[in-house]
Amino acid sequence: KGLSWKEQKEYAALEVRIGSHEARKVEIEAEMNEFARDYVRLQKLDEERAGIEAALETALERWFELEELKSQ
């Protein structure tokens, strides 16, 4: 069957979004190492990391759904 045009656009956008989330997660982890003694900064970075991880998980779940449809 494959993907509809709309699903193809969503699939491409998800790949970009996933890459962006993964890159930001790496940046956050590097910043957390850099500011290990700044508790307030660490707390903000940890909150941002949690949000990024949740968004990444949602995007990956949808990407896998579309990937499965794509192979049918």
Side-chain angles (χ1 to χ4, degrees):
K1 177 188 167 187
L3 298 176
S4 70
W5 181 81
K6 183 179 174 185
E7 289 169 331
Q8 289 174 12
K9 285 189 71 170
E10 181 184 8
Y11 183 86
L14 281 167
E15 288 184 326
V16 171
R17 191 174 319 138
I18 288 167
S20 175
H21 288 327
E22 288 174 339
R24 182 59 188 142
K25 187 177 168 188
V26 168
E27 291 172 358
I28 290 170
E29 290 168 355
E31 286 181 48
M32 289 178 85
N33 288 332
E34 184 179 340
F35 296 100
R37 294 195 173 115
D38 183 345
Y39 179 75
V40 173
R41 182 80 181 258
L42 280 177
Q43 191 172 12
K44 288 179 182 178
L45 288 168
D46 190 51
E47 289 171 7
E48 183 180 356
R49 182 178 62 178
I52 292 287
E53 287 175 346
L56 181 58
E57 184 177 336
T58 300
L60 283 170
E61 286 174 5
R62 181 61 179 152
W63 184 87
F64 282 119
E65 289 172 7
L66 292 173
E67 184 67 25
E68 190 172 312
L69 288 173
K70 188 173 137 182
S71 65
Q72 290 179 357

